[in-house]
């Protein structure tokens, strides 16, 4: 009996150990799952079939939007750095921009065009939302997209004239910080949609304070790698821009949509390039 009791005790202890051991592993797997959800949502990069998707996980995945931005920026910057050795800076910048569009599928650029069409062509909120979910692009969207891409190209070419490495840093920084800004709007804004038939993919509609803090942490890590002047300048500009974008979204449609977040990312990316060009990275 004592032997049996001892054996059962050992078994129970073993079972307890088996139950507790996966906790750290399961936490890491959960975070990896959230990271891959963010990756699949914002890029065309394939993810493993075991990744679990649902609306709550998508909300939590917003914490890694900045990390995905850094990945996209790093790949785009790598293309620029490699191509500028054999091609003019202007061509190298275009190749870097094409790389970013191919990786994301033009996800944010589409949001910018739809937002411009909706805000420019609609009078009532319902009209704006209806126009924004239309797959066709209008005059306002075309102008916004063309001018945004031209300005992005020109700013990066000017930065590269000072130093190609400055352009590399600018691409990575702007992609990362712009997605942090866009993702943080989810915490403060109200998600709005005309109906369930929207052409947009499902979007994170709520953000817990922990998700916001992790998201902002990725942005602060980027800023910490820059010198104090440019870091402070970028932080100040992006905080002000965030408030303006939230105010604009509330005024136009009463909150945000996936399209307005895409527009926010594109605008924030331009602001980052402009600030880096004016303030400099030295």
């Amino acid at each position: 009996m004592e032997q049996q009791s001892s054996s059962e005790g050992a078994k129970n202890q073993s079972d307890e150990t088996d139950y507790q051991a996966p906790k750290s592993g399961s936490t890491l797997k959960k975070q990896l799952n959230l990271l891959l959800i963010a990756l699949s949502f914002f890029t065309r990069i394939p993810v493993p079939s075991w990744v679990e998707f649902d609306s709550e996980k998508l909300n939590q995945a917003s914490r890694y939007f900045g990390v995905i931005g850094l990945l996209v920026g790093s790949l785009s910057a790598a293309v620029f750095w490699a191509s500028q050795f054999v091609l003019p800076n202007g061509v190298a910048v275009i190749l870097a921009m094409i790389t970013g569009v191919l990786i994301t599928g033009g996800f944010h650029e589409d949001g910018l065009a739809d937002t411009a069409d909706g805000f420019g062509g609609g009078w009532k909120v319902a009209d704006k939302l209806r126009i924004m979910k239309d797959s066709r692009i209008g005059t306002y969207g075309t102008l916004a997209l063309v001018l945004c891409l031209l300005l992005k190209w020109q700013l990066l070419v000017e930065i590269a004239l000072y130093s190609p490495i400055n352009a590399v840093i600018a691409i990575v920084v702007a992609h990362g910080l712009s997605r942090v800004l866009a993702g943080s709007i989810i915490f403060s804004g109200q998600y709005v949609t005309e109906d369930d038939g929207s052409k947009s993919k499902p979007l994170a509609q709520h953000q817990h304070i922990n998700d916001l803090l992790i998201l902002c942490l990725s942005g602060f890590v980027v800023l910490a790698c820059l010198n104090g002047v440019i870091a402070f300048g970028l932080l100040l500009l992006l905080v002000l821009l965030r408030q303006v974008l939230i105010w604009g979204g509330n005024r136009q449609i009463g909150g945000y949509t996936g399209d307005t977040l895409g527009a926010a990312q594109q605008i924030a990316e331009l602001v980052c390039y402009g600030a880096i060009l004016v303030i400099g990275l030295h």
Side-chain angles (χ1 to χ4, degrees), residues 69 72-74 76-77 80 96 156 166-176 273:
V72 175
S74 297
S76 300
F80 167 80
L156 281 170
N166 281 6
V168 169
I169 295 171
I171 292 170
V172 176
V173 167
H175 275 275
Y273 293 141

Side-chain angles (χ1 to χ4, degrees), residues 39-40 42-46 101-106:
L39 181 68
S40 69
F42 282 115
T43 75
R44 295 294 180 87
I45 299 174
V101 170
L102 289 176
I103 293 172
T104 63

Side-chain angles (χ1 to χ4, degrees), residues 220-280:
F220 285 124
V221 168
V222 174
L223 292 174
C225 296
L226 303 172
N227 70 49
V229 176
I230 184 64
F232 179 76
L234 278 173
L235 179 60
L236 181 61
L237 283 173
L238 292 177
V239 168
L240 292 174
L241 176 63
R242 180 180 182 274
Q243 294 306 115
V244 171
L245 291 171
I246 291 175
W247 172 82
N250 289 337
R251 184 172 180 274
Q252 291 284 339
I253 58 175
Y256 72 90
T257 68
D259 287 327
T260 63
L261 293 186
Q265 186 278 323
Q266 289 290 291
I267 295 170
E269 188 179 341
L270 286 175
V271 168
C272 287
Y273 293 141
I276 289 171
L277 179 61
V278 171
I279 302 174

Side-chain angles (χ1 to χ4, degrees), residues 1 5 7 25 41 70 73 77 112 118 170 190 209 212 229 279-280 282:
M1 286 292 289
S5 176
S7 174
F41 187 76
L70 291 174
L112 173 66
Q190 174 67 38
I209 184 64
L212 176 66
V229 176
I279 302 174
H282 303 295

Side-chain angles (χ1 to χ4, degrees), residues 55-66:
S55 58
E56 183 53 35
K57 288 185 175 64
L58 180 55
N59 288 332
Q60 295 176 341
S62 66
R63 65 180 62 180
Y64 291 123
F65 287 178

Side-chain angles (χ1 to χ4, degrees), residues 107-122:
F107 189 79
H108 307 291
E109 289 81 0
D110 178 66
L112 173 66
D114 287 341
T115 299
D117 277 334
F119 287 9

